[in-house]
Amino acid sequence: MSRNKPLVVVTRKLPDAVETRMRELFDTTLNLDDHPMSQQELVNAVKTAHVLVPTVTDRIDQGLISQAGENLKLIANFGNGVDNIDVAAAARKGITVTNTPNVLTEDTADMTMGLMIAVSRRIAEGVQVIESGEWNGWSPTWMLGRRIWGKRLGIIGMGRIGTAVARRARAFGLSIHYHNRKRVNPATEEELEAIYWESLDQMLARMDIISVNCPHTPATFHLLSARRLALMQPNALLVNTARGQVIDEDALVKALSEGKLAGAGLDVFEHEPAVRPEFIDLARSGKIVILPHMGSATIEGRMEMGERVIINIRTLMDGHRPPDRVLPIDN
Ligand code: 8YV
């Protein structure tokens, strides 16, 4: 530690302004060429650093945490979801974990709406037609999509992002239904005229569009299983901007290929950056729209995520509880 500044290791390239500020405040090791860190690099980092700043692309599991040195006091995740970190193992070692909530809510909700509209109105297919030079002109029965106005949207996970999706969806004329571990407060339900479904199965069977907005936890792994996907209406659409692990991808491919589900908009995948070839074929055929985990990818969002990371580090270093502390989930 130089001049009493904590040693902070950042695993990926962050926006320049964030990196510059971090170097002013901390003894910061940057990853200038943005390569995903190897296991050995991560081990070296946790052995020496006071603070590790990982992202969704780093597995901070129990094995890694067990090798952490005495110095490591904080894992300040650059991201909202913490399914890449074994939070319980960190807690057992007295290491605090923080994330960056709130600042990517609106961007992720925008992308959810974007996918919903892109799938139902065949936007990606339209782009492909123009780019291929095969557009022969307008026709009354060509490229017909499905209207979203007046349809029913079922949101799985009515946290910050789910609620932000609901607000937008209301303006697009969708009626709001949701499934959540807990019912949201009456004022929010009233504002959104939202219908709560305690039973996910019951909700799935009745919706025109389903949006996945819950975190990936042991309880939500493959929540949308083959059995549950089969409950959905054949005309229904599925949008996922949360985590690929929430959907059984084998079952989703099967449902889409067999026409048991009309389409999907996916920003996330179970084994990123690998995307199963069937999804790519389905995207080429216009059945689904797929994006490479871009839900929170705005300049403003990334800057604010960096600011949250800095605030969390500084607060802990000043001897206080960081604002975005994440506690282990009690199952
Ligand atoms: C982030 C995300 O880009 O914050 C999250 O949980 O999924 C993403 O939108 C990513 O996590 C950055 O680490």
Side-chain angles (χ1 to χ4, degrees), residues 17-239:
V18 174
E19 290 186 340
T20 308
R21 190 67 189 130
M22 288 182 89
R23 296 219 67 194
E24 286 169 352
L25 293 169
F26 318 121
D27 181 4
T28 309
T29 303
L30 301 173
N31 176 354
L32 293 175
D33 67 8
D34 197 29
H35 67 280
M37 275 196 178
S38 67
Q39 190 64 15
Q40 193 50 53
E41 285 176 291
L42 286 172
V43 170
N44 294 343
V46 297
K47 276 189 191 302
T48 53
H50 296 92
V51 179
L52 180 73
V53 180
T55 74
V56 70
T57 57
D58 306 298
R59 290 280 123 243
I60 314 297
D61 56 16
Q62 185 169 0
L64 184 75
I65 290 168
S66 69
Q67 299 184 66
E70 287 285 291
N71 286 344
L72 192 67
K73 293 287 174 290
L74 174 65
I75 299 172
N77 197 43
F78 183 87
N80 190 25
V82 288
D83 52 333
N84 55 322
I85 302 169
D86 189 331
V87 180
R92 285 195 295 274
K93 260 201 124 188
I95 301 166
T96 301
V97 175
T98 57
N99 66 344
T100 59
N102 299 317
V103 293
L104 35 74
T105 301
E106 307 303 334
D107 297 325
T108 309
D110 285 345
M111 195 59 107
T112 307
M113 294 310 298
L115 278 173
M116 218 179 278
I117 296 166
V119 179
S120 48
R121 299 301 305 276
R122 307 175 66 175
I123 289 178
E125 269 182 275
V127 172
Q128 277 173 22
V129 170
I130 298 256
E131 284 177 352
S132 67
E134 281 165 16
W135 186 34
N136 297 322
W138 187 89
S139 146
T141 55
W142 184 68
M143 271 301 206
L144 305 186
R146 294 264 174 183
R147 175 185 293 168
I148 66 166
W149 182 270
K151 298 281 164 62
R152 294 193 175 100
L153 170 66
I155 298 175
I156 303 176
M158 198 67 147
R160 283 180 288 260
I161 297 174
T163 306
V165 170
R167 293 211 169 94
R168 284 159 176 73
R170 290 266 298 155
F172 280 88
L174 287 148
S175 63
I176 308 302
H177 297 247
Y178 75 98
H179 169 78
N180 201 42
R181 275 180 310 163
K182 283 186 293 185
R183 199 165 168 167
V184 300
N185 65 60
T188 307
E189 249 186 33
E190 203 172 312
E191 174 206 335
L192 301 167
E193 295 182 61
I195 314 294
Y196 176 58
W197 292 89
E198 203 173 340
S199 157
L200 175 58
D201 291 7
Q202 289 288 330
M203 182 177 87
L204 286 172
R206 293 166 159 87
M207 297 298 117
D208 301 297
I209 305 172
I210 289 288
S211 175
V212 179
N213 297 106
C214 61
H216 164 221
T217 66
T220 64
F221 176 76
H222 284 193
L223 184 69
L224 292 184
S225 58
R227 182 189 68 75
R228 288 216 171 93
L229 289 171
L231 298 172
M232 291 177 66
Q233 300 176 15
N235 275 335
L237 304 176
L238 176 62
V239 175

Side-chain angles (χ1 to χ4, degrees), residues 231-262:
L231 298 172
M232 291 177 66
Q233 300 176 15
N235 275 335
L237 304 176
L238 176 62
V239 175
N240 187 6
T241 53
R243 282 292 183 269
Q245 289 87 340
V246 179
I247 302 178
D248 177 341
E249 291 188 343
D250 283 333
L252 179 59
V253 165
K254 197 155 183 285
L256 289 162
S257 312
E258 292 175 357
K260 302 209 166 111
L261 202 58

